[in-house]
Amino acid sequence: MLSHEKVPTLHQVLPHFNRMIAAWERQKEQLPHYRNIIDKGIEKLMEYVEEIEDILAYTLAILITPTIKLTWHQRYKNELVNWAKQLLVNSLKPYRQHTGINTPAAPHCAATSGSWADDVLGLPR
């Protein structure tokens, strides 16, 4: 389900597309006589994925979802892990700098922008 009235679902789009492509790849092995048709379907899904991957909101939605964070990228798009982390850092910097809130940062978060991002993304230190 990629649409819901009260629950955000944007974070599910890329993972669902990838699961669908993987399922169709398995079907090609089980139904070799439908290989051409399945390949056309996978080709179309890949077109959608390529368009969606260019929209940063999908990646950010995955990164800020507490049950996913960076684990999806680590498993399926490992080559983009550093890019995704930097995207989160760059996207949050304006809010972090211009909130006007004068609260002291935790000592371990003040060191670098990467350390607070690691905390947000659930990465080990």
Side-chain angles (χ1 to χ4, degrees):
M1 170 173 52
L2 295 177
S3 176
H4 198 275
E5 193 172 313
K6 296 182 182 185
V7 178
T9 58
L10 193 61
H11 67 280
Q12 297 173 348
V13 173
L14 284 171
H16 279 313
F17 269 113
N18 281 286
R19 279 193 286 277
M20 197 177 326
I21 291 168
W24 285 13
E25 289 288 349
R26 288 189 301 275
Q27 289 298 314
K28 284 191 332 187
E29 295 169 15
Q30 295 172 356
L31 305 167
H33 51 285
Y34 292 115
R35 184 179 215 73
N36 291 339
I37 296 169
I38 294 170
D39 280 339
K40 291 291 183 191
I42 291 172
E43 208 175 289
K44 191 56 152 174
L45 285 173
M46 290 303 296
E47 287 176 26
Y48 288 126
V49 168
E50 288 172 13
E51 286 183 34
I52 289 170
E53 285 178 333
D54 290 340
I55 301 170
L56 300 180
Y58 288 94
T59 299
L60 289 169
I62 290 171
L63 294 174
I64 64 169
T65 300
T67 56
I68 302 174
K69 296 184 181 182
L70 203 53
T71 57
W72 184 82
H73 283 82
Q74 290 167 328
R75 185 169 180 190
Y76 298 104
K77 298 283 187 174
N78 198 45
E79 71 279 7
L80 297 177
V81 167
N82 289 332
W83 170 83
K85 179 180 171 182
Q86 196 57 48
L87 172 66
L88 180 72
V89 168
N90 292 342
S91 298
L92 294 178
K93 271 183 184 174
Y95 299 101
R96 190 170 161 86
Q97 293 170 352
H98 301 291
T99 59
I101 300 172
N102 272 334
T103 58
H108 70 278
C109 291
T112 66
S113 61
S115 63
W116 64 262
D118 291 347
D119 288 344
V120 169
L121 293 169
L123 296 174
R125 294 185 168 264

